[in-house]
Amino acid sequence: METDILIIGAGPAGLAAAFEMASKGLDVTIVDESITMGGQLNQQTQVIPSLPSSFQSMRGFELAAHLTKQLEEYDIRYLLGHRVIGFYKDGSVGITDEQDVFAVKAKKIIVATGAAENAVAFPKWTLPGVMTIGAAQTMINRDFVQPGKEAVIVGSSDFALDAALQLSEVGVHVKGFIEKNAGILSRDLEKIEQVKKMGIPIYLDSFIKEARGMGAVEEIEIEIGTRVLTEKVDLVCVDGGRSPILDIFYQLGCSFGYQKELGGWVPQYNHQFQTDRQDIFLAGNAAGISTQGVLLVTGMLAGINVCEAVGAITKTIADEEKDFLWKELEILETKYNPNIWEARNRHMENFAHPVIKEQFLS
Amino acid sequence: MHIQHHPILGGQLHKPVTIYFNDQPYKAYEQQTVAAALMANDIKRLGLSRNLVQPRGLFCTRGRCCSCYMTVNGEDHVRTCMVKVEEGMKIYLNDEDPDVRREFCGD
C-alpha cells in the first residue's frame, strides 16, 4: 500500500493534522490501535477548557465527533483496529490487523501516539481494583460500568478532579483525595470548589501506606502526617501524571531530550514539528504533555509543515498559517501553564544538540 | 454494575449479550470490552502474576500495561481491555503460561 502521508494515532492531534492535509488535497492514511477515532477524548464528558479560536466550547466526546465529522468529505484511508509493529529496511511501515502484517509506504509520517498514564507505586498497588484515573473514567463513560462502590483518588490534578466528579455522578462514593504534596495540584478553582462542596476530603502531605485485600483491594491505610487512617474501599484511582508514548520513535532511531514539564523523555523536534529523521513529524502529547487545545494546534502545525514539505502549499501560505497558529499555541499553553510553554521552547532550541540517540530507554 | 442511566450520555446499553466466564453465563452489552463487562459482574481478578503469584486485574484500559491478559475463545494473552464482547464468548483466567511458552522455556 502506498500513501502520501501516514498518521499514526487517531486522537485529537492526528485528526487535526489529517484535516489540514486532506483539505489541501493530500492522500492521507490514518492508523490506530483502537477501533474508534478520537483517542482519549471519547471518555471525556467534561467541557474542554480553552480550545483554539476556530472551535466552539464543547465536551470531549463532542470534540471527538466534530474532528471525525470534518474529515467525512475527504477520501481518507482508515486503518482502525490496526497496529504499527515495526519498520522495513526500505522505510515502509509494518502494520498488523492482528492476523497478518502488511507494508505501507509513505512519503511522510506524522507520529501522534499520545500519552500513557504513569503508575503510582505503594505496597500492593498491583491488586485488582487499583487503576489509573483514566481507566476509571473509561469504565464509566465508554463502557458504562461502575468500577467500584467506594473509592479514593491518589492525586489532585485537574484530571483527577474531573474523574472524581464523574465517578460521584454515577453513584461511586468518593471518600477522599490523597495528595503527596502540601497543596492541591489543580489550578481550576471552580472544580476545587465543587469538590469541597460535595464534602470530599482532600488529604495533603499524605500517601497510601498499604493496600490490602484477598484477590482485590478491600482496604487501604492512608498516612497523613503523623496520623494513619484506614478506609474500606474497592476502588483506588491513581494519577501519576502522563508521559509521551515513544515506542515508535525508538524504532525509527529518533533522538530524545528530557524535559520534566513535557512529561519526561520527548523526541527531539524543531519548529516544524519535524524530528531528526526528515520524513518523520510528530504532534500532540507525543511532542510533550499539554492541554487538549494545544494538542489540536500542534496537530494543525504538523499538518501544515508536512503540506509545505511535500509542496502541497507554498511557503508564503504556510508561513501565514503557521504564524497565526504559533501565536494561538503560545496563548493557550501559557494560560494553562507557562512552564510547559517555556519547556517546549527550550526543547526546540535543543534540537541541534540531541541528548540521546538510538538508545533504548524505558 | 452496569450504568443504565448515565448522567450526561443517557441510556446507552441497549443490546445485551451473554458471555461465559469459567463456563458460567454473565450479562454484558455489545459496546463493552471484555474486562469492563467482567468488572460489571464484579469479577476483578483476571489472572495471576507468574513471578510473585499475585492477583492481577484491569489497570490502564489502553492496552499498554497488559495486566488484563486473559484467555478468550481459546486464544491466550488477549488484552481484554481492547477487545469487545461477542455473543457466546468464552473467557478464562490467565493463571498459567500457555503451552507454547512452557514447552520452549521462554523468558
mmCIF file with all atom_site columns, all heavy atoms in Angstrom, chain A residues 33 40 126 132 135 138 141 143-144 146 234 247, chain B residues 1 3 6 32-33 36 44 56 59 62 64 79:
data_model
loop_
_atom_site.group_PDB
_atom_site.id
_atom_site.type_symbol
_atom_site.label_atom_id
_atom_site.label_alt_id
_atom_site.label_comp_id
_atom_site.label_asym_id
_atom_site.label_entity_id
_atom_site.label_seq_id
_atom_site.pdbx_PDB_ins_code
_atom_site.Cartn_x
_atom_site.Cartn_y
_atom_site.Cartn_z
_atom_site.occupancy
_atom_site.B_iso_or_equiv
_atom_site.pdbx_formal_charge
_atom_site.auth_seq_id
_atom_site.auth_comp_id
_atom_site.auth_asym_id
_atom_site.auth_atom_id
_atom_site.pdbx_PDB_model_num
ATOM 1   N N   . GLU A 1 33  ? -4.690  1.814   16.856 1.00 0.00 ? 33  GLU A N   1
ATOM 2   C CA  . GLU A 1 33  ? -4.887  0.529   17.520 1.00 0.00 ? 33  GLU A CA  1
ATOM 3   C C   . GLU A 1 33  ? -6.344  0.322   17.923 1.00 0.00 ? 33  GLU A C   1
ATOM 4   O O   . GLU A 1 33  ? -6.854  -0.790  17.927 1.00 0.00 ? 33  GLU A O   1
ATOM 5   C CB  . GLU A 1 33  ? -3.999  0.542   18.765 1.00 0.00 ? 33  GLU A CB  1
ATOM 6   C CG  . GLU A 1 33  ? -3.904  -0.746  19.492 1.00 0.00 ? 33  GLU A CG  1
ATOM 7   C CD  . GLU A 1 33  ? -2.835  -0.681  20.584 1.00 0.00 ? 33  GLU A CD  1
ATOM 8   O OE1 . GLU A 1 33  ? -2.374  0.430   20.919 1.00 0.00 ? 33  GLU A OE1 1
ATOM 9   O OE2 . GLU A 1 33  ? -2.467  -1.726  21.086 1.00 0.00 ? 33  GLU A OE2 1
ATOM 10  N N   . GLN A 1 40  ? -8.397  9.439   23.398 1.00 0.00 ? 40  GLN A N   1
ATOM 11  C CA  . GLN A 1 40  ? -8.894  9.520   24.780 1.00 0.00 ? 40  GLN A CA  1
ATOM 12  C C   . GLN A 1 40  ? -9.967  10.592  24.956 1.00 0.00 ? 40  GLN A C   1
ATOM 13  O O   . GLN A 1 40  ? -10.496 10.766  26.054 1.00 0.00 ? 40  GLN A O   1
ATOM 14  C CB  . GLN A 1 40  ? -7.730  9.755   25.756 1.00 0.00 ? 40  GLN A CB  1
ATOM 15  C CG  . GLN A 1 40  ? -6.591  8.763   25.623 1.00 0.00 ? 40  GLN A CG  1
ATOM 16  C CD  . GLN A 1 40  ? -7.058  7.322   25.556 1.00 0.00 ? 40  GLN A CD  1
ATOM 17  O OE1 . GLN A 1 40  ? -8.070  6.955   26.139 1.00 0.00 ? 40  GLN A OE1 1
ATOM 18  N NE2 . GLN A 1 40  ? -6.349  6.495   24.808 1.00 0.00 ? 40  GLN A NE2 1
ATOM 19  N N   . THR A 1 126 ? -0.579  -3.385  42.922 1.00 0.00 ? 126 THR A N   1
ATOM 20  C CA  . THR A 1 126 ? -0.976  -4.191  41.768 1.00 0.00 ? 126 THR A CA  1
ATOM 21  C C   . THR A 1 126 ? -2.273  -4.960  41.999 1.00 0.00 ? 126 THR A C   1
ATOM 22  O O   . THR A 1 126 ? -2.714  -5.694  41.128 1.00 0.00 ? 126 THR A O   1
ATOM 23  C CB  . THR A 1 126 ? 0.144   -5.191  41.412 1.00 0.00 ? 126 THR A CB  1
ATOM 24  O OG1 . THR A 1 126 ? 0.489   -5.912  42.591 1.00 0.00 ? 126 THR A OG1 1
ATOM 25  C CG2 . THR A 1 126 ? 1.371   -4.491  40.874 1.00 0.00 ? 126 THR A CG2 1
ATOM 26  N N   . THR A 1 132 ? -5.713  3.377   36.958 1.00 0.00 ? 132 THR A N   1
ATOM 27  C CA  . THR A 1 132 ? -5.422  4.786   36.689 1.00 0.00 ? 132 THR A CA  1
ATOM 28  C C   . THR A 1 132 ? -6.739  5.576   36.670 1.00 0.00 ? 132 THR A C   1
ATOM 29  O O   . THR A 1 132 ? -7.815  4.992   36.456 1.00 0.00 ? 132 THR A O   1
ATOM 30  C CB  . THR A 1 132 ? -4.721  4.964   35.333 1.00 0.00 ? 132 THR A CB  1
ATOM 31  O OG1 . THR A 1 132 ? -5.615  4.551   34.301 1.00 0.00 ? 132 THR A OG1 1
ATOM 32  C CG2 . THR A 1 132 ? -3.438  4.150   35.259 1.00 0.00 ? 132 THR A CG2 1
ATOM 33  N N   . ALA A 1 135 ? -8.425  5.094   33.445 1.00 0.00 ? 135 ALA A N   1
ATOM 34  C CA  . ALA A 1 135 ? -9.102  3.801   33.326 1.00 0.00 ? 135 ALA A CA  1
ATOM 35  C C   . ALA A 1 135 ? -10.485 3.874   33.960 1.00 0.00 ? 135 ALA A C   1
ATOM 36  O O   . ALA A 1 135 ? -11.477 3.396   33.389 1.00 0.00 ? 135 ALA A O   1
ATOM 37  C CB  . ALA A 1 135 ? -8.269  2.706   33.979 1.00 0.00 ? 135 ALA A CB  1
ATOM 38  N N   . THR A 1 138 ? -12.724 5.746   31.722 1.00 0.00 ? 138 THR A N   1
ATOM 39  C CA  . THR A 1 138 ? -13.086 4.919   30.571 1.00 0.00 ? 138 THR A CA  1
ATOM 40  C C   . THR A 1 138 ? -14.192 3.937   30.943 1.00 0.00 ? 138 THR A C   1
ATOM 41  O O   . THR A 1 138 ? -15.152 3.742   30.188 1.00 0.00 ? 138 THR A O   1
ATOM 42  C CB  . THR A 1 138 ? -11.851 4.133   30.085 1.00 0.00 ? 138 THR A CB  1
ATOM 43  O OG1 . THR A 1 138 ? -10.824 5.064   29.790 1.00 0.00 ? 138 THR A OG1 1
ATOM 44  C CG2 . THR A 1 138 ? -12.157 3.331   28.848 1.00 0.00 ? 138 THR A CG2 1
ATOM 45  N N   . ASN A 1 141 ? -17.553 6.117   31.354 1.00 0.00 ? 141 ASN A N   1
ATOM 46  C CA  . ASN A 1 141 ? -18.059 6.919   30.224 1.00 0.00 ? 141 ASN A CA  1
ATOM 47  C C   . ASN A 1 141 ? -17.996 6.217   28.870 1.00 0.00 ? 141 ASN A C   1
ATOM 48  O O   . ASN A 1 141 ? -18.658 6.645   27.933 1.00 0.00 ? 141 ASN A O   1
ATOM 49  C CB  . ASN A 1 141 ? -17.283 8.234   30.123 1.00 0.00 ? 141 ASN A CB  1
ATOM 50  C CG  . ASN A 1 141 ? -17.478 9.109   31.349 1.00 0.00 ? 141 ASN A CG  1
ATOM 51  O OD1 . ASN A 1 141 ? -18.476 8.978   32.048 1.00 0.00 ? 141 ASN A OD1 1
ATOM 52  N ND2 . ASN A 1 141 ? -16.524 9.958   31.621 1.00 0.00 ? 141 ASN A ND2 1
ATOM 53  N N   . ASP A 1 143 ? -17.544 2.408   28.663 1.00 0.00 ? 143 ASP A N   1
ATOM 54  C CA  . ASP A 1 143 ? -18.088 1.051   28.792 1.00 0.00 ? 143 ASP A CA  1
ATOM 55  C C   . ASP A 1 143 ? -19.344 1.000   29.663 1.00 0.00 ? 143 ASP A C   1
ATOM 56  O O   . ASP A 1 143 ? -19.984 -0.033  29.772 1.00 0.00 ? 143 ASP A O   1
ATOM 57  C CB  . ASP A 1 143 ? -17.018 0.116   29.370 1.00 0.00 ? 143 ASP A CB  1
ATOM 58  C CG  . ASP A 1 143 ? -15.951 -0.213  28.334 1.00 0.00 ? 143 ASP A CG  1
ATOM 59  O OD1 . ASP A 1 143 ? -15.913 0.477   27.302 1.00 0.00 ? 143 ASP A OD1 1
ATOM 60  O OD2 . ASP A 1 143 ? -15.173 -1.149  28.538 1.00 0.00 ? 143 ASP A OD2 1
ATOM 61  N N   . PHE A 1 144 ? -19.674 2.116   30.300 1.00 0.00 ? 144 PHE A N   1
ATOM 62  C CA  . PHE A 1 144 ? -20.869 2.202   31.143 1.00 0.00 ? 144 PHE A CA  1
ATOM 63  C C   . PHE A 1 144 ? -20.871 1.135   32.242 1.00 0.00 ? 144 PHE A C   1
ATOM 64  O O   . PHE A 1 144 ? -21.823 0.396   32.421 1.00 0.00 ? 144 PHE A O   1
ATOM 65  C CB  . PHE A 1 144 ? -22.143 2.154   30.285 1.00 0.00 ? 144 PHE A CB  1
ATOM 66  C CG  . PHE A 1 144 ? -22.148 3.234   29.240 1.00 0.00 ? 144 PHE A CG  1
ATOM 67  C CD1 . PHE A 1 144 ? -21.812 2.953   27.936 1.00 0.00 ? 144 PHE A CD1 1
ATOM 68  C CD2 . PHE A 1 144 ? -22.400 4.540   29.596 1.00 0.00 ? 144 PHE A CD2 1
ATOM 69  C CE1 . PHE A 1 144 ? -21.756 3.962   26.983 1.00 0.00 ? 144 PHE A CE1 1
ATOM 70  C CE2 . PHE A 1 144 ? -22.354 5.561   28.656 1.00 0.00 ? 144 PHE A CE2 1
ATOM 71  C CZ  . PHE A 1 144 ? -22.028 5.266   27.340 1.00 0.00 ? 144 PHE A CZ  1
ATOM 72  N N   . GLN A 1 146 ? -19.726 0.677   36.399 1.00 0.00 ? 146 GLN A N   1
ATOM 73  C CA  . GLN A 1 146 ? -19.268 1.299   37.640 1.00 0.00 ? 146 GLN A CA  1
ATOM 74  C C   . GLN A 1 146 ? -18.134 0.440   38.189 1.00 0.00 ? 146 GLN A C   1
ATOM 75  O O   . GLN A 1 146 ? -18.347 -0.725  38.524 1.00 0.00 ? 146 GLN A O   1
ATOM 76  C CB  . GLN A 1 146 ? -20.451 1.352   38.613 1.00 0.00 ? 146 GLN A CB  1
ATOM 77  C CG  . GLN A 1 146 ? -20.198 2.247   39.792 1.00 0.00 ? 146 GLN A CG  1
ATOM 78  C CD  . GLN A 1 146 ? -21.402 2.325   40.707 1.00 0.00 ? 146 GLN A CD  1
ATOM 79  O OE1 . GLN A 1 146 ? -22.518 2.567   40.271 1.00 0.00 ? 146 GLN A OE1 1
ATOM 80  N NE2 . GLN A 1 146 ? -21.183 2.056   41.976 1.00 0.00 ? 146 GLN A NE2 1
ATOM 81  N N   . ASP A 1 234 ? -13.115 -0.254  47.500 1.00 0.00 ? 234 ASP A N   1
ATOM 82  C CA  . ASP A 1 234 ? -12.933 -1.308  46.492 1.00 0.00 ? 234 ASP A CA  1
ATOM 83  C C   . ASP A 1 234 ? -12.419 -0.712  45.178 1.00 0.00 ? 234 ASP A C   1
ATOM 84  O O   . ASP A 1 234 ? -12.371 -1.392  44.153 1.00 0.00 ? 234 ASP A O   1
ATOM 85  C CB  . ASP A 1 234 ? -14.220 -2.112  46.271 1.00 0.00 ? 234 ASP A CB  1
ATOM 86  C CG  . ASP A 1 234 ? -15.387 -1.236  45.845 1.00 0.00 ? 234 ASP A CG  1
ATOM 87  O OD1 . ASP A 1 234 ? -15.233 -0.001  45.801 1.00 0.00 ? 234 ASP A OD1 1
ATOM 88  O OD2 . ASP A 1 234 ? -16.465 -1.793  45.563 1.00 0.00 ? 234 ASP A OD2 1
ATOM 89  N N   . ASP A 1 247 ? 7.447   4.367   21.789 1.00 0.00 ? 247 ASP A N   1
ATOM 90  C CA  . ASP A 1 247 ? 7.875   3.111   21.135 1.00 0.00 ? 247 ASP A CA  1
ATOM 91  C C   . ASP A 1 247 ? 8.279   3.317   19.675 1.00 0.00 ? 247 ASP A C   1
ATOM 92  O O   . ASP A 1 247 ? 9.331   2.847   19.235 1.00 0.00 ? 247 ASP A O   1
ATOM 93  C CB  . ASP A 1 247 ? 6.761   2.068   21.167 1.00 0.00 ? 247 ASP A CB  1
ATOM 94  C CG  . ASP A 1 247 ? 6.112   1.934   22.530 1.00 0.00 ? 247 ASP A CG  1
ATOM 95  O OD1 . ASP A 1 247 ? 5.864   2.984   23.166 1.00 0.00 ? 247 ASP A OD1 1
ATOM 96  O OD2 . ASP A 1 247 ? 5.853   0.816   22.961 1.00 0.00 ? 247 ASP A OD2 1
ATOM 97  N N   . MET B 2 1   ? -21.251 -3.235  38.276 1.00 0.00 ? 1   MET B N   1
ATOM 98  C CA  . MET B 2 1   ? -22.613 -2.822  37.952 1.00 0.00 ? 1   MET B CA  1
ATOM 99  C C   . MET B 2 1   ? -22.648 -2.078  36.617 1.00 0.00 ? 1   MET B C   1
ATOM 100 O O   . MET B 2 1   ? -21.807 -1.239  36.358 1.00 0.00 ? 1   MET B O   1
ATOM 101 C CB  . MET B 2 1   ? -23.139 -1.901  39.057 1.00 0.00 ? 1   MET B CB  1
ATOM 102 C CG  . MET B 2 1   ? -24.639 -1.835  39.121 1.00 0.00 ? 1   MET B CG  1
ATOM 103 S SD  . MET B 2 1   ? -25.190 -0.979  40.612 1.00 0.00 ? 1   MET B SD  1
ATOM 104 C CE  . MET B 2 1   ? -24.825 0.723   40.208 1.00 0.00 ? 1   MET B CE  1
ATOM 105 N N   . ILE B 2 3   ? -24.043 0.683   34.108 1.00 0.00 ? 3   ILE B N   1
ATOM 106 C CA  . ILE B 2 3   ? -24.657 2.002   34.297 1.00 0.00 ? 3   ILE B CA  1
ATOM 107 C C   . ILE B 2 3   ? -25.758 2.157   33.239 1.00 0.00 ? 3   ILE B C   1
ATOM 108 O O   . ILE B 2 3   ? -25.483 2.400   32.071 1.00 0.00 ? 3   ILE B O   1
ATOM 109 C CB  . ILE B 2 3   ? -23.600 3.122   34.168 1.00 0.00 ? 3   ILE B CB  1
ATOM 110 C CG1 . ILE B 2 3   ? -22.522 2.958   35.246 1.00 0.00 ? 3   ILE B CG1 1
ATOM 111 C CG2 . ILE B 2 3   ? -24.258 4.500   34.262 1.00 0.00 ? 3   ILE B CG2 1
ATOM 112 C CD1 . ILE B 2 3   ? -21.318 3.867   35.076 1.00 0.00 ? 3   ILE B CD1 1
ATOM 113 N N   . HIS B 2 6   ? -26.758 7.049   32.321 1.00 0.00 ? 6   HIS B N   1
ATOM 114 C CA  . HIS B 2 6   ? -25.571 7.870   32.502 1.00 0.00 ? 6   HIS B CA  1
ATOM 115 C C   . HIS B 2 6   ? -26.006 9.333   32.619 1.00 0.00 ? 6   HIS B C   1
ATOM 116 O O   . HIS B 2 6   ? -26.846 9.797   31.841 1.00 0.00 ? 6   HIS B O   1
ATOM 117 C CB  . HIS B 2 6   ? -24.640 7.686   31.306 1.00 0.00 ? 6   HIS B CB  1
ATOM 118 C CG  . HIS B 2 6   ? -23.287 8.283   31.481 1.00 0.00 ? 6   HIS B CG  1
ATOM 119 N ND1 . HIS B 2 6   ? -23.057 9.626   31.340 1.00 0.00 ? 6   HIS B ND1 1
ATOM 120 C CD2 . HIS B 2 6   ? -22.095 7.726   31.807 1.00 0.00 ? 6   HIS B CD2 1
ATOM 121 C CE1 . HIS B 2 6   ? -21.767 9.861   31.562 1.00 0.00 ? 6   HIS B CE1 1
ATOM 122 N NE2 . HIS B 2 6   ? -21.166 8.725   31.848 1.00 0.00 ? 6   HIS B NE2 1
ATOM 123 N N   . GLN B 2 32  ? -19.349 -2.993  25.170 1.00 0.00 ? 32  GLN B N   1
ATOM 124 C CA  . GLN B 2 32  ? -18.385 -3.081  26.266 1.00 0.00 ? 32  GLN B CA  1
ATOM 125 C C   . GLN B 2 32  ? -17.183 -3.954  25.908 1.00 0.00 ? 32  GLN B C   1
ATOM 126 O O   . GLN B 2 32  ? -17.293 -4.899  25.127 1.00 0.00 ? 32  GLN B O   1
ATOM 127 C CB  . GLN B 2 32  ? -19.080 -3.672  27.501 1.00 0.00 ? 32  GLN B CB  1
ATOM 128 C CG  . GLN B 2 32  ? -20.125 -2.731  28.075 1.00 0.00 ? 32  GLN B CG  1
ATOM 129 C CD  . GLN B 2 32  ? -20.920 -3.360  29.219 1.00 0.00 ? 32  GLN B CD  1
ATOM 130 O OE1 . GLN B 2 32  ? -21.133 -4.570  29.238 1.00 0.00 ? 32  GLN B OE1 1
ATOM 131 N NE2 . GLN B 2 32  ? -21.360 -2.529  30.137 1.00 0.00 ? 32  GLN B NE2 1
ATOM 132 N N   . THR B 2 33  ? -16.047 -3.627  26.516 1.00 0.00 ? 33  THR B N   1
ATOM 133 C CA  . THR B 2 33  ? -14.890 -4.504  26.363 1.00 0.00 ? 33  THR B CA  1
ATOM 134 C C   . THR B 2 33  ? -15.044 -5.665  27.351 1.00 0.00 ? 33  THR B C   1
ATOM 135 O O   . THR B 2 33  ? -15.823 -5.589  28.302 1.00 0.00 ? 33  THR B O   1
ATOM 136 C CB  . THR B 2 33  ? -13.583 -3.747  26.655 1.00 0.00 ? 33  THR B CB  1
ATOM 137 O OG1 . THR B 2 33  ? -13.657 -3.182  27.960 1.00 0.00 ? 33  THR B OG1 1
ATOM 138 C CG2 . THR B 2 33  ? -13.344 -2.644  25.637 1.00 0.00 ? 33  THR B CG2 1
ATOM 139 N N   . ALA B 2 36  ? -14.251 -4.798  31.008 1.00 0.00 ? 36  ALA B N   1
ATOM 140 C CA  . ALA B 2 36  ? -15.284 -3.952  31.604 1.00 0.00 ? 36  ALA B CA  1
ATOM 141 C C   . ALA B 2 36  ? -16.529 -4.782  31.923 1.00 0.00 ? 36  ALA B C   1
ATOM 142 O O   . ALA B 2 36  ? -17.126 -4.636  32.991 1.00 0.00 ? 36  ALA B O   1
ATOM 143 C CB  . ALA B 2 36  ? -15.642 -2.812  30.658 1.00 0.00 ? 36  ALA B CB  1
ATOM 144 N N   . LYS B 2 44  ? -13.061 -9.065  39.224 1.00 0.00 ? 44  LYS B N   1
ATOM 145 C CA  . LYS B 2 44  ? -11.944 -8.126  39.099 1.00 0.00 ? 44  LYS B CA  1
ATOM 146 C C   . LYS B 2 44  ? -10.611 -8.822  38.945 1.00 0.00 ? 44  LYS B C   1
ATOM 147 O O   . LYS B 2 44  ? -9.686  -8.272  38.363 1.00 0.00 ? 44  LYS B O   1
ATOM 148 C CB  . LYS B 2 44  ? -11.896 -7.223  40.335 1.00 0.00 ? 44  LYS B CB  1
ATOM 149 C CG  . LYS B 2 44  ? -13.055 -6.248  40.396 1.00 0.00 ? 44  LYS B CG  1
ATOM 150 C CD  . LYS B 2 44  ? -12.890 -5.285  41.533 1.00 0.00 ? 44  LYS B CD  1
ATOM 151 C CE  . LYS B 2 44  ? -14.008 -4.258  41.537 1.00 0.00 ? 44  LYS B CE  1
ATOM 152 N NZ  . LYS B 2 44  ? -13.921 -3.383  42.709 1.00 0.00 ? 44  LYS B NZ  1
ATOM 153 N N   . ARG B 2 56  ? -3.979  -10.198 39.440 1.00 0.00 ? 56  ARG B N   1
ATOM 154 C CA  . ARG B 2 56  ? -3.849  -9.059  38.530 1.00 0.00 ? 56  ARG B CA  1
ATOM 155 C C   . ARG B 2 56  ? -5.219  -8.732  37.937 1.00 0.00 ? 56  ARG B C   1
ATOM 156 O O   . ARG B 2 56  ? -6.047  -9.623  37.723 1.00 0.00 ? 56  ARG B O   1
ATOM 157 C CB  . ARG B 2 56  ? -2.887  -9.401  37.377 1.00 0.00 ? 56  ARG B CB  1
ATOM 158 C CG  . ARG B 2 56  ? -1.445  -9.535  37.802 1.00 0.00 ? 56  ARG B CG  1
ATOM 159 C CD  . ARG B 2 56  ? -0.834  -8.185  38.134 1.00 0.00 ? 56  ARG B CD  1
ATOM 160 N NE  . ARG B 2 56  ? 0.591   -8.280  38.438 1.00 0.00 ? 56  ARG B NE  1
ATOM 161 C CZ  . ARG B 2 56  ? 1.089   -8.364  39.664 1.00 0.00 ? 56  ARG B CZ  1
ATOM 162 N NH1 . ARG B 2 56  ? 0.279   -8.382  40.707 1.00 0.00 ? 56  ARG B NH1 1
ATOM 163 N NH2 . ARG B 2 56  ? 2.382   -8.424  39.851 1.00 0.00 ? 56  ARG B NH2 1
ATOM 164 N N   . PHE B 2 59  ? -5.965  -2.361  34.710 1.00 0.00 ? 59  PHE B N   1
ATOM 165 C CA  . PHE B 2 59  ? -5.228  -1.225  35.266 1.00 0.00 ? 59  PHE B CA  1
ATOM 166 C C   . PHE B 2 59  ? -5.279  0.015   34.385 1.00 0.00 ? 59  PHE B C   1
ATOM 167 O O   . PHE B 2 59  ? -5.585  1.104   34.852 1.00 0.00 ? 59  PHE B O   1
ATOM 168 C CB  . PHE B 2 59  ? -3.774  -1.608  35.554 1.00 0.00 ? 59  PHE B CB  1
ATOM 169 C CG  . PHE B 2 59  ? -2.985  -0.495  36.192 1.00 0.00 ? 59  PHE B CG  1
ATOM 170 C CD1 . PHE B 2 59  ? -3.187  -0.162  37.529 1.00 0.00 ? 59  PHE B CD1 1
ATOM 171 C CD2 . PHE B 2 59  ? -2.070  0.241   35.464 1.00 0.00 ? 59  PHE B CD2 1
ATOM 172 C CE1 . PHE B 2 59  ? -2.489  0.888   38.119 1.00 0.00 ? 59  PHE B CE1 1
ATOM 173 C CE2 . PHE B 2 59  ? -1.365  1.288   36.039 1.00 0.00 ? 59  PHE B CE2 1
ATOM 174 C CZ  . PHE B 2 59  ? -1.575  1.605   37.375 1.00 0.00 ? 59  PHE B CZ  1
ATOM 175 N N   . ARG B 2 62  ? -5.905  0.802   28.225 1.00 0.00 ? 62  ARG B N   1
ATOM 176 C CA  . ARG B 2 62  ? -5.386  1.359   26.975 1.00 0.00 ? 62  ARG B CA  1
ATOM 177 C C   . ARG B 2 62  ? -4.577  0.324   26.206 1.00 0.00 ? 62  ARG B C   1
ATOM 178 O O   . ARG B 2 62  ? -3.919  0.673   25.240 1.00 0.00 ? 62  ARG B O   1
ATOM 179 C CB  . ARG B 2 62  ? -4.467  2.555   27.247 1.00 0.00 ? 62  ARG B CB  1
ATOM 180 C CG  . ARG B 2 62  ? -5.045  3.625   28.114 1.00 0.00 ? 62  ARG B CG  1
ATOM 181 C CD  . ARG B 2 62  ? -6.024  4.485   27.327 1.00 0.00 ? 62  ARG B CD  1
ATOM 182 N NE  . ARG B 2 62  ? -6.297  5.697   28.071 1.00 0.00 ? 62  ARG B NE  1
ATOM 183 C CZ  . ARG B 2 62  ? -7.284  5.829   28.950 1.00 0.00 ? 62  ARG B CZ  1
ATOM 184 N NH1 . ARG B 2 62  ? -8.071  4.818   29.205 1.00 0.00 ? 62  ARG B NH1 1
ATOM 185 N NH2 . ARG B 2 62  ? -7.472  6.971   29.572 1.00 0.00 ? 62  ARG B NH2 1
ATOM 186 N N   . ARG B 2 64  ? -1.833  -1.041  27.223 1.00 0.00 ? 64  ARG B N   1
ATOM 187 C CA  . ARG B 2 64  ? -0.391  -0.850  27.388 1.00 0.00 ? 64  ARG B CA  1
ATOM 188 C C   . ARG B 2 64  ? 0.208   -1.644  28.535 1.00 0.00 ? 64  ARG B C   1
ATOM 189 O O   . ARG B 2 64  ? 1.356   -2.081  28.462 1.00 0.00 ? 64  ARG B O   1
ATOM 190 C CB  . ARG B 2 64  ? -0.068  0.633   27.567 1.00 0.00 ? 64  ARG B CB  1
ATOM 191 C CG  . ARG B 2 64  ? -0.247  1.421   26.285 1.00 0.00 ? 64  ARG B CG  1
ATOM 192 C CD  . ARG B 2 64  ? 0.375   2.784   26.353 1.00 0.00 ? 64  ARG B CD  1
ATOM 193 N NE  . ARG B 2 64  ? 1.819   2.735   26.493 1.00 0.00 ? 64  ARG B NE  1
ATOM 194 C CZ  . ARG B 2 64  ? 2.658   2.525   25.485 1.00 0.00 ? 64  ARG B CZ  1
ATOM 195 N NH1 . ARG B 2 64  ? 2.204   2.326   24.276 1.00 0.00 ? 64  ARG B NH1 1
ATOM 196 N NH2 . ARG B 2 64  ? 3.958   2.510   25.690 1.00 0.00 ? 64  ARG B NH2 1
ATOM 197 N N   . ARG B 2 79  ? -5.479  -9.006  25.385 1.00 0.00 ? 79  ARG B N   1
ATOM 198 C CA  . ARG B 2 79  ? -5.653  -7.814  26.235 1.00 0.00 ? 79  ARG B CA  1
ATOM 199 C C   . ARG B 2 79  ? -7.151  -7.525  26.287 1.00 0.00 ? 79  ARG B C   1
ATOM 200 O O   . ARG B 2 79  ? -7.724  -6.977  25.347 1.00 0.00 ? 79  ARG B O   1
ATOM 201 C CB  . ARG B 2 79  ? -4.874  -6.630  25.653 1.00 0.00 ? 79  ARG B CB  1
ATOM 202 C CG  . ARG B 2 79  ? -3.376  -6.866  25.596 1.00 0.00 ? 79  ARG B CG  1
ATOM 203 C CD  . ARG B 2 79  ? -2.673  -5.747  24.892 1.00 0.00 ? 79  ARG B CD  1
ATOM 204 N NE  . ARG B 2 79  ? -3.122  -5.606  23.509 1.00 0.00 ? 79  ARG B NE  1
ATOM 205 C CZ  . ARG B 2 79  ? -2.762  -4.616  22.707 1.00 0.00 ? 79  ARG B CZ  1
ATOM 206 N NH1 . ARG B 2 79  ? -1.977  -3.666  23.145 1.00 0.00 ? 79  ARG B NH1 1
ATOM 207 N NH2 . ARG B 2 79  ? -3.209  -4.556  21.483 1.00 0.00 ? 79  ARG B NH2 1
#
